Amino acid sequence: MAHTTSTRNAAAERELVSDFSLEMTGKDVPGLIEAKDSIPQGTKINVTFLGNEDLEMRVAASKAVRDMGFIPVPHISARRLSSQAQLEEFLSRLQDVDATESVFVVGGDPAVPEGPYEGAYDVIRTGILADYGVKEVSIAGYPEGHPDISDEVLWRSLDEKAVSLREQNLGTTVLTQFSFDTDPVMSWIDQVRSRGIDSTIRIGTPGPAGIKRLLGFARRFGIGANAMIVKKYGFSLTNLMGTAGPDRFVSDLATLVSADPAAGKVSLHFYTFGGLLATSEWARDYLGAQS
């Protein structure tokens, strides 16, 4: 299905951006404190599960999100878990700080699993998430594919996770890796819907950040960043000294989603490579410009 943009649609842009979510690491609590007044209360804020973070840091960050009036969405990195006991300890600690209602279960980076979980589905199918108060689970989507996983495996995994969560009566959100190009995003959304997955889709996009930094993350995650695509996003590979924001990507995506009856509920998830404050201020100002 071909997707083309036409004139801007302010109402569609407001709808797409108004329910945005953010991402932070366990080390970003000072940045969250700095940005808190520019983030709407009730915003979902994902808290990463990185190799250089520990249990105390992840739990403390999730608690800080809750204490400031936001909704924590802690990540559970399946391949970083050494045992079911470690998974249950993490969930128990999160439950103690009221941070288990929403979680994001993802495979994670290690090439070799550190314990019994090959991927997110293995954690989900244990059935223990609900025992610790989980009501909604985000699962990963890859509009531009994954550098190490075939498309066939990605689609099968998405189907399995969606079915398992439905059978457990848990809410589902599909949260994507970030993209620079709306074309593969819209094609992927159409494929998700054609598979009978009707949950909210949160499309990942970088908040405003330095161009070199954006391209570094793109290379790390296998995201397409050729000259044509980044020009569509709004910057040039020949001028790497400046910063770039998602204005054009968001505007085009909003227009395309509003014109596609099959797209369903689509929101944004901002990867805060340029910091929580810069991203939240961008979203605030962008929404103000559409009102």
Side-chain angles (χ1 to χ4, degrees), residues 175-196:
L175 176 66
T176 80
Q177 185 53 269
F178 73 89
S179 295
F180 290 136
D181 189 358
T182 54
D183 287 345
V185 167
M186 288 305 302
S187 296
W188 179 85
I189 289 173
D190 288 339
Q191 291 182 70
V192 172
R193 298 310 188 201
S194 73
R195 304 174 89 86

Side-chain angles (χ1 to χ4, degrees), residues 2-203:
H3 299 279
T4 57
T5 54
S6 55
T7 57
R8 293 184 62 168
N9 185 330
E13 292 177 38
R14 285 196 304 273
E15 183 175 355
L16 181 67
V17 179
S18 61
D19 184 34
F20 69 87
S21 56
L22 297 166
E23 185 150 315
M24 63 177 283
T25 72
K27 299 176 182 177
D28 284 339
V29 174
L32 181 64
I33 294 170
E34 179 186 34
K36 65 182 178 62
D37 292 336
S38 57
I39 304 172
Q41 290 287 285
T43 296
K44 289 185 174 179
I45 300 182
N46 286 39
V47 180
T48 56
F49 193 116
L50 302 178
N52 61 357
E53 300 167 350
D54 60 22
L55 174 65
E56 299 304 326
M57 188 180 297
R58 296 168 189 140
V59 173
S62 297
K63 182 179 186 299
V65 171
R66 174 65 73 191
D67 288 348
M68 291 183 215
F70 311 118
I71 299 173
V73 184
H75 290 198
I76 299 172
S77 181
R79 296 167 73 86
R80 291 192 185 280
L81 294 167
S82 61
S83 64
Q84 181 167 318
Q86 186 185 24
L87 169 61
E88 296 202 47
E89 179 187 15
F90 184 41
L91 289 168
S92 177
R93 291 290 305 280
L94 290 172
Q95 190 174 33
D96 289 342
V97 297
D98 193 22
T100 55
E101 184 170 321
S102 296
V103 299
F104 176 40
V105 185
V106 66
D109 294 334
V112 178
E114 297 175 15
Y117 306 116
E118 289 281 344
Y121 176 60
D122 295 321
V123 171
I124 290 168
R125 69 177 181 176
T126 64
I128 68 172
L129 295 176
D131 295 342
Y132 291 88
V134 174
K135 296 180 180 177
E136 179 186 53
V137 178
S138 296
I139 54 179
Y142 299 91
E144 296 186 51
H146 189 288
D148 301 316
I149 306 173
S150 71
D151 287 348
E152 178 184 359
V153 171
L154 289 175
W155 284 117
R156 183 171 67 245
S157 176
L158 185 66
D159 288 338
E160 289 173 342
K161 288 180 283 191
V163 168
S164 182
L165 290 170
R166 191 180 307 124
E167 290 174 344
Q168 295 177 56
N169 294 314
L170 293 173
T172 305
T173 294
V174 182
L175 176 66
T176 80
Q177 185 53 269
F178 73 89
S179 295
F180 290 136
D181 189 358
T182 54
D183 287 345
V185 167
M186 288 305 302
S187 296
W188 179 85
I189 289 173
D190 288 339
Q191 291 182 70
V192 172
R193 298 310 188 201
S194 73
R195 304 174 89 86
I197 299 173
D198 60 2
S199 56
T200 296
I201 295 174
R202 287 191 175 274
I203 298 298

